[in-house]
Amino acid sequence: MFKVFKAFVKKEFYHILRDKRTLLILFGMPIAQVLIFGFAVTNEFNDTKIDVLDYAKDVTSNQLIDHIQSSGHFMVNNRLLSEKEMEDGFKAGASKIVVAIPENFSEDFYAGANPQIQVITDGSDPNNANTLVQYVTQMVNTFKTERSVQGGTPYQIQLSTQMMYNPQLVSSYNFVPGTIALILLIICAMLTSLTIAKENEKGTMEVLLVSPLPPVIIILGKVTPYALLSFGIAVLVVLIGNIVFGVPVLGSFGLLMLMCLLYVITALSLGTLISTKSDTQQKAMMTSLMSLMMPSLILSGFIFPMSSMPQVLQWIGHIIPAKYFIDILKGIMLRGVGMDFLLFEVGVLLLMTLVFLVLTWRNFKIRLE
């Protein structure tokens, strides 16, 4: 009996080792998850871009800026000249934190006049904003301490903070836009790929392809119901976020819906691309989970700030459609910006959609041969 059992186990081992997909799940996914979670799931910051509005432009203010950079947590991105530039940076999503140093900073600091430094952050991501303020506060405190030891006098700096767009630091302001992006991605991309893969698996897609209907009509017929349902769900989720959780829509509601429609089309084109590369529903499910769900949840900046991730993971994050859609949602809903501040994100989504459709068309024609 033991010999039979031993031979059976040996056969199963051979079966597992010959199946590349099983090996990928067994060894590839745990290694990838450990590496991604280990590097991405962190609230530490390194080389976070910071803008400086330096009204003083004296030796001490430059020393303070150098001291903040010396921590390795911050890197000066822009030296602003006016509050207008600061507001434009926040509206475009280019600025996450601005340190404003007052005039006569050096004289007031060494005269013990307690100069006030302003730290302004983008409160649409409250956890990120809070952490950034804490890091800056710590660096300003060490700057005061070092100067006090050198001069023998306990110098003081008053620090005031301001959270733009979310002064109450409501967490739903961050989670509602991210949740909308994930829900639309799941419905559009994953379910579309599964539906078409199901037709391939059962062989009914070949029957449709030999029918008088053009392939484009067949694909459009398959994805149109999901597009309409997804758009309706997007409207529903936005209304729930607004009415139940109090997330405002400061920008144009029509523009918001137009952007939702663009993202739905992008996700649908990605779903059809996955379906053309998947023979079975199982393969479509695995591909969707590994290439859509996990990267969109972890690497899009929805939960963990991209600036704290290694450069490689940041590059991967920049090819995820959800990253740009979340930026668009926060821009319209929380910052109230128009299309002129969203041209880059919209252009990237349009380019992605075009690439996905071209690749889908190429793969679909190969299948017809």
Side-chain angles (χ1 to χ4, degrees):
M1 181 61 71
F2 180 72
K3 287 185 178 179
V4 174
F5 176 74
K6 183 179 177 182
F8 189 79
V9 171
K10 189 175 180 181
K11 188 269 296 179
E12 286 299 317
F13 263 114
Y14 282 134
H15 177 71
I16 293 172
L17 295 176
R18 280 197 297 263
D19 189 347
K20 293 181 180 177
R21 283 190 298 181
T22 304
L23 286 177
L24 179 64
I25 295 172
L26 273 175
F27 297 102
M29 285 188 65
I31 293 172
Q33 287 180 347
V34 167
L35 292 176
I36 292 174
F37 275 94
F39 283 116
V41 183
T42 175
N43 288 322
E44 295 180 356
F45 293 91
N46 291 307
D47 294 332
T48 299
K49 293 180 180 177
I50 185 172
D51 292 341
V52 176
L53 183 56
D54 186 3
Y55 289 112
K57 294 185 175 65
D58 54 33
V59 176
T60 308
S61 67
N62 285 324
Q63 288 175 343
L64 175 60
I65 295 168
D66 292 339
H67 182 76
I68 292 174
Q69 288 193 100
S70 67
S71 65
H73 299 306
F74 296 104
M75 180 174 61
V76 173
N77 185 40
N78 288 315
R79 287 181 179 268
L80 307 174
L81 300 176
S82 65
E83 292 186 2
K84 175 71 166 52
E85 287 187 357
M86 181 182 71
E87 292 174 2
D88 290 344
F90 276 119
K91 282 185 177 179
S95 293
K96 295 300 179 186
I97 179 169
V98 173
V99 174
I101 302 175
E103 292 180 352
N104 304 319
F105 175 70
S106 183
E107 291 86 343
D108 292 344
F109 179 67
Y110 287 111
N114 200 11
Q116 185 182 70
I117 291 178
Q118 278 191 309
V119 180
I120 306 106
T121 57
D122 184 354
S124 60
D125 187 347
N127 293 332
N128 186 24
N130 252 333
T131 308
L132 290 175
V133 169
Q134 290 174 7
Y135 273 76
V136 171
T137 303
Q138 183 180 358
M139 293 309 298
V140 171
N141 287 335
T142 57
F143 180 81
K144 288 189 304 186
T145 304
E146 290 178 3
R147 294 303 180 280
S148 297
V149 170
Q150 291 174 7
T153 306
Y155 298 121
Q156 296 296 325
I157 298 177
Q158 187 178 352
L159 206 64
S160 70
T161 60
Q162 180 182 358
M163 303 290 178
M164 298 279 283
Y165 313 119
N166 185 12
Q168 290 82 26
L169 297 180
V170 181
S171 60
S172 57
Y173 281 31
N174 180 44
F175 284 100
V176 167
T179 305
I180 294 173
L182 283 181
I183 288 174
L184 292 183
L185 195 67
I186 293 171
I187 295 173
C188 297
M190 186 178 291
L191 292 186
T192 302
S193 65
L194 286 175
T195 302
I196 298 177
K198 183 179 179 181
E199 298 279 3
N200 292 329
E201 191 174 356
K202 290 185 175 181
T204 51
M205 179 59 80
E206 301 301 327
V207 176
L208 290 174
L209 292 177
V210 298
S211 69
L213 293 174
V216 175
I217 298 298
I218 295 172
I219 294 298
L220 286 177
K222 297 293 291 185
V223 302
T224 298
Y226 288 101
L228 296 176
L229 290 172
S230 302
F231 186 71
I233 290 171
V235 177
L236 182 63
V237 175
V238 169
L239 292 177
I240 291 175
N242 180 257
I243 297 171
V244 179
F245 296 102
V247 180
V249 181
L250 300 178
S252 166
F253 188 78
L255 179 62
L256 178 62
M257 292 299 100
L258 184 64
M259 294 299 104
C260 288
L261 183 61
L262 171 62
Y263 183 66
V264 164
I265 295 173
T266 305
L268 284 173
S269 60
L270 183 56
T272 53
L273 175 61
I274 293 173
S275 70
T276 59
K277 305 294 286 185
S278 306
D279 300 326
T280 63
Q281 295 182 74
Q282 182 187 15
K283 188 176 180 180
M285 174 67 80
M286 291 301 300
T287 305
S288 299
L289 284 174
M290 295 187 67
S291 63
L292 297 179
M293 283 299 297
M294 280 186 55
S296 298
L297 188 64
I298 300 172
L299 304 179
S300 66
F302 168 35
I303 299 177
F304 308 105
M306 291 182 64
S307 58
S308 64
M309 300 176 191
Q311 194 64 45
V312 175
L313 295 184
Q314 292 187 34
W315 291 338
I316 297 174
H318 281 93
I319 60 173
I320 296 174
K323 187 259 179 197
Y324 300 97
F325 186 58
I326 292 172
D327 289 343
I328 290 173
L329 289 179
K330 287 185 176 180
I332 298 175
M333 297 176 71
L334 304 181
R335 298 195 292 272
V337 301
M339 180 63 86
D340 50 338
F341 285 94
L342 303 172
L343 290 176
F344 176 74
E345 288 80 5
V346 173
V348 172
L349 287 182
L350 286 173
L351 180 62
M352 285 183 174
T353 304
L354 181 63
V355 172
F356 294 150
L357 289 175
V358 169
L359 292 176
T360 301
W361 179 250
R362 286 173 59 87
N363 290 328
F364 200 74
K365 285 197 298 186
I366 291 172
R367 291 177 62 83
L368 286 174
E369 293 171 358

